[in-house]
Amino acid sequence: MNPPSTSVTPDSGAAAEAPHVMSAAEHEEYVRLRRAATVRHRRARRAGSVILLVLTLLLAPLALVAAWVHDEVADTGRYVQTVRPLASDPAVQKVLINRLTDRVVANIDVQAVTNAITDTLQKNGAPPRVVQGSESLTGPLRSAVRTVVQRNVSRVITSEAFQEAWVGANRRAHAAVVNMLTGSRSGALQANGDAIQLDVGNVVDQVRQRLVDAGFQKASAIPDVDRTVTLFKTQQLRKAQDGMRLLDIVGTWLPILTLVFAALTVWTAPNHRLMVIIVGIGVAVMAVLLLVALAVARRVYLDSVPSATLPPDAAAVIFDTFIRFLRASSRTLLVVSLLAALTAYLYGPGRVAHGVRSVAGRGATAAGQGLRRVGMNTGLTGRWLSAHQAWTVGVTIGAGALALVLWNRPTVGAVVLVLVLVLVALAIAAVLAAAGPAPDAADEPGHAVT
């Protein structure tokens, strides 16, 4: 319903109100108040972006560590992938060979063998010189036994069968621990309340079947009760399970929360492009600090392990193997952050950025004109790409960023691959846009793609 309108006529005796015209002083006050409101708004946005920036920088390394710990603890496949190289590393193999050899030789009573030889010689009337010489066989015999044992142990440890057994044993052990910490009812090792139980049902079935096969038909009546054996009870189990649930939440959502904070930091800042550069450089610095912290932790770990317990080369291999995925993730984050900062800089007004854009534009224009000269005209497609270059570039870069986000644990190689694909796509789009119809012939027919 339209509101009633009022009109002023000469007969009504009322004069129409003239619009108020601000004086110079009033206009100056208006401009001052508006500028003050704008400044307050910009200051609030700047303060909010600074707070979000600090949170992003603090959470970035924590998110990497949390995701790494979560994968190692909760993901059996990831854990097996981590420890698999240890079985084939020469330094670790050497430690295993020496320790297994020592254990086997320690269980062989070489002195008893020497005494038996001496007694046999004495009983058979051997000369006293021969009998006395046999008593000194303990050292050479022990050395010979160790050589034989070490040779055979080395063959086993360096074989492919051992590597397969290593992987299978670690897979079963890790899966059992995960089942216990998550409260899963699958697997042989299970958690029931505060008790750790071993499911022996499979063993009972095998024993019953073997007894039946051996002729004990009544063994088939063995009941299926008490198929679990309680190994031990602990009051700390619930705390461990709560810690596992917390780790699952933190390891999953902390990286997502960090990305959200980074996006809000850029969106809140008055200058989005500048904030992208700041966030990229800041996260890159945090990734470098994390790499430095890992190097320091490696040095501390190697200094704390006695050489008698574990040789330095084997200790270094074990440490590097377990943190290699965390180190790779840190390097990936470093590269991605620097690429984001570099991309934002190239879109700025700097002299270098302007020069790079000019060179790229001239190259694409020359390539497009070359295509037109040989009779390849992109027609409406080229015209559309030329009119929507900003959208084309944004969508292409966004698709590359989305590919890295959805990539399962991207590496530096994956980042380089996505970067190359994005650059190729941008170059093709620019060439196609330059190969479109000339401005004076854009409306003429016959300019279809050939």
Side-chain angles (χ1 to χ4, degrees), residues 346-372:
L346 292 178
Y347 271 88
R351 180 179 301 176
V352 176
H354 180 72
V356 172
R357 294 197 303 268
S358 298
V359 170
R362 287 195 296 268
T365 300
Q369 291 176 352
L371 292 179
R372 284 209 306 266

Side-chain angles (χ1 to χ4, degrees), residues 22 41 69 146 200 221 230 243 336 393 411 434:
M22 290 190 298
H41 179 66
V69 174
R146 180 176 180 83
V200 296
T230 300
V336 171
V393 173
T411 61

Side-chain angles (χ1 to χ4, degrees), residues 176 180 188-190 194-200 228-234:
M180 179 184 65
L189 194 63
Q190 303 174 1
D194 59 351
I196 305 299
Q197 296 179 336
L198 179 65
D199 187 359
V200 296
T228 58
V229 177
T230 300
L231 300 179
F232 60 91
K233 293 185 178 182
T234 175

Side-chain angles (χ1 to χ4, degrees), residues 94-95 98-99 301-316:
K94 183 179 179 181
V95 173
N98 291 335
R99 293 191 176 181
Y301 167 75
L302 295 180
D303 292 340
S304 64
V305 177
S307 58
T309 302
L310 196 62
D313 55 348

Side-chain angles (χ1 to χ4, degrees), residues 112-432:
V113 175
T114 304
N115 294 335
I117 294 175
T118 303
D119 293 341
T120 301
L121 292 175
Q122 287 178 346
K123 291 178 181 179
N124 288 276
R129 182 178 301 177
V130 175
V131 175
Q132 292 177 0
S134 66
E135 295 176 354
S136 62
L137 291 176
T138 302
L141 185 59
R142 180 177 287 109
S143 178
V145 169
R146 180 176 180 83
T147 300
V148 174
V149 172
Q150 189 174 29
R151 184 185 304 116
N152 288 275
V153 171
S154 179
R155 290 175 180 174
V156 173
I157 296 299
T158 56
S159 64
E160 294 183 0
F162 172 76
Q163 298 179 20
E164 295 176 359
W166 169 269
V167 172
N170 278 277
R171 186 182 302 277
R172 290 189 295 271
H174 190 273
V177 173
V178 171
N179 289 337
M180 179 184 65
L181 293 178
T182 57
S184 175
R185 304 299 296 177
S186 62
L189 194 63
Q190 303 174 1
N192 186 9
D194 59 351
I196 305 299
Q197 296 179 336
L198 179 65
D199 187 359
V200 296
N202 189 28
V203 178
V204 172
D205 294 338
Q206 293 182 13
V207 171
R208 179 169 52 191
Q209 185 61 40
R210 291 191 178 187
L211 290 175
V212 172
D213 295 340
F216 296 94
Q217 299 298 329
K218 293 184 178 180
S220 59
I222 296 177
D224 292 335
V225 296
D226 297 332
R227 298 171 67 91
T228 58
V229 177
T230 300
L231 300 179
F232 60 91
K233 293 185 178 182
T234 175
Q235 300 296 329
Q236 304 298 323
L237 180 59
R238 293 190 180 276
K239 294 182 179 180
Q241 291 177 340
D242 293 339
M244 184 66 178
R245 284 190 286 268
L246 178 62
L247 178 62
D248 187 52
I249 295 174
V250 173
T252 302
W253 291 103
L254 190 58
I256 298 177
L257 184 63
T258 305
L259 290 176
V260 171
F261 278 162
L264 290 177
T265 302
V266 175
W267 179 75
T268 306
N271 191 330
H272 302 317
R273 186 188 63 83
L274 179 60
M275 184 53 68
V276 171
I277 298 176
I278 295 175
V279 171
I281 296 177
V283 173
V285 170
M286 299 305 294
V288 172
L289 292 179
L290 179 57
L291 291 173
V292 173
L294 291 178
V296 174
R298 183 180 188 271
R299 186 70 267 167
V300 172
Y301 167 75
L302 295 180
D303 292 340
S304 64
V305 177
S307 58
T309 302
L310 196 62
D313 55 348
V317 168
I318 292 174
F319 184 88
D320 294 339
T321 300
F322 270 94
I323 70 164
R324 74 181 192 278
F325 289 122
L326 177 58
R327 187 178 290 151
S329 298
S330 302
R331 292 170 179 168
T332 302
L333 181 62
L334 172 62
V335 173
V336 171
S337 302
L338 292 179
L339 285 177
L342 179 61
T343 303
Y345 171 76
L346 292 178
Y347 271 88
R351 180 179 301 176
V352 176
H354 180 72
V356 172
R357 294 197 303 268
S358 298
V359 170
R362 287 195 296 268
T365 300
Q369 291 176 352
L371 292 179
R372 284 209 306 266
R373 283 194 296 268
V374 298
M376 295 183 63
N377 192 324
T378 54
L380 295 178
T381 301
R383 189 190 309 175
W384 188 92
L385 290 174
S386 178
H388 301 84
Q389 288 185 357
W391 279 97
T392 303
V393 173
V395 170
T396 305
I397 295 178
L402 181 61
L404 288 178
V405 171
L406 298 180
W407 198 298
N408 187 18
R409 305 182 184 99
T411 61
V412 175
V415 175
V416 173
L417 176 61
V418 172
L419 175 62
V420 171
L421 293 177
V422 168
L423 292 178
V424 170
L426 292 177
I428 293 175
V431 172
L432 293 178

